[in-house]
Amino acid sequence: MPIAIVVHGGAGAWMRGPDRLRAAVAACHEAAATGLARLHDGAAALDAVEAAVRVLEDAPVLNAGRGSHPRSDGSVEMDAIVMDGSTLGLGAVACVRRVLHPVSLARLVLARSPHTLLVAHGAERFADEMGFPRCEEAELKVPEVGGESADTVGAVACDAAGHVAVAASTGGILRQWPGRVGDTPLVGAGAYADDASAAATATGEGEALMKLVISKLVCDLVAQGATPERACRLALDRLEARLGATGGVIAVDPRGRVGVACSSPAMPVAYAVGDGPIVSGMWPRDFMADRGRR
């Protein structure tokens, strides 16, 4: 099976100047390169997507980890999820504070907890009991940005054994109500992975994405015979038709076929398949000529 990885830096307006655009695309490229190197070394898809999302969480230009948006009270709460398509193993956290890499805390929930989703103080207590590193809130480098906000980061991958996995992380939406949980840590909404179909993760208007259970929808469409590319497009068409909402989706199936679609104005993306090069840019602007090749 050809290895493959796709990462995104969040769907949104992205009208924040060329420097921010370049930084977002560069972060996605680095994340894809990090995950791809793991895959070439024989790592499992789950290891690759966690490594890729950690890179995205370290990029202040993206809304996860260091770049998380402040809530209405000025503090930061973050959500993350990982899912292994080979076992349907799942780990997620929501409303966690003072953590630089929520995706790795979600992975720890999968590995060391009998539960699948831990939230707020319970997730933080779990982190402390497991010796998971914490940070000061100031280290998250929360940016004060305008209304042009991007949402969520994520990665999907297929490893050499044909197993798929997904990881996603978010700092939520700008000035959200404390305790608000969006689609990202909710299985089937923010992310889903199953070797019987595909791995997918979504970004955009979280309240709408969770109503459509959009990541599971993408995987179901692949199981019904759609390519990952077509499944992503069909899911966003349904999102707009049913709820009048926009967003972005990335996917990969166990054959190493990748899919990307975005109905929001823009989404930084990077992907690679097999021994091919890493392709990165802003979707759809930098990818229009490439759409027919997937």
Side-chain angles (χ1 to χ4, degrees):
M1 297 290 179
I3 60 174
I5 189 165
V6 191
V7 305
H8 75 78
W14 281 105
M15 297 175 183
R16 291 183 263 172
D19 290 342
R20 293 187 70 86
L21 297 181
R22 283 192 291 267
V25 171
C28 288
H29 191 100
E30 181 185 354
T34 298
L36 185 64
R38 297 290 182 92
L39 294 172
H40 277 306
D41 287 342
L46 188 62
D47 296 324
V49 293
E50 180 190 3
V53 170
R54 283 178 63 96
V55 173
L56 300 175
E57 289 174 333
D58 278 335
V61 71
L62 302 177
N63 178 23
R66 292 185 184 276
S68 297
H69 290 327
R71 306 180 306 179
S72 59
D73 64 0
S75 62
V76 174
E77 290 182 342
M78 299 165 289
D79 308 332
I81 187 171
V82 298
M83 188 168 184
D84 183 351
S86 65
T87 63
L88 300 186
L90 167 69
V93 293
C95 298
V96 295
R97 302 178 64 178
R98 297 178 48 241
V99 172
L100 282 176
H101 293 293
V103 70
S104 292
L105 182 56
R107 177 75 184 272
L108 193 62
V109 171
L110 168 60
R112 302 285 298 277
S113 166
H115 309 300
T116 57
L117 173 61
L118 297 177
V119 305
H121 301 301
E124 292 167 14
R125 178 175 176 179
F126 171 77
D128 291 339
E129 290 184 357
M130 293 293 109
F132 190 85
R134 305 291 296 278
C135 69
E136 295 302 320
E137 195 158 278
E139 294 182 66
L140 298 173
K141 300 181 180 178
V142 179
E144 282 290 346
V145 298
E148 324 292 358
S149 79
D151 171 60
T152 318
V153 302
V156 293
C158 174
D159 61 31
H163 300 310
V164 297
V166 61
S169 181
T170 185
I173 58 177
L174 187 62
R175 301 185 185 93
Q176 69 183 20
W177 192 268
R180 179 256 184 187
V181 177
D183 64 295
T184 299
L186 303 183
V187 62
Y192 196 77
D194 186 348
D195 283 0
S197 55
T201 184
T203 171
E205 301 176 40
E207 275 68 15
L209 298 175
M210 68 177 81
K211 291 173 185 176
L212 204 63
V213 198
I214 193 168
S215 294
K216 181 63 161 57
L217 173 60
V218 170
C219 294
D220 287 346
L221 289 168
V222 173
Q224 294 165 17
T227 64
E229 174 80 2
R230 179 162 174 75
C232 290
R233 295 183 194 174
L234 288 173
L236 291 183
D237 287 346
R238 192 173 302 181
L239 181 69
E240 182 176 5
R242 189 70 178 88
L243 296 166
T246 62
V249 191
I250 60 174
V252 66
D253 70 7
R255 296 164 61 182
R257 300 181 301 174
V258 304
V260 180
C262 179
S263 55
S264 298
M267 179 173 72
V269 174
Y271 71 89
V273 177
D275 293 324
I278 298 171
V279 180
S280 59
M282 273 286 173
W283 191 278
R285 183 191 67 192
D286 299 329
F287 293 89
M288 293 304 293
D290 186 57
R291 287 176 70 92
R293 290 208 290 270
R294 279 184 297 282

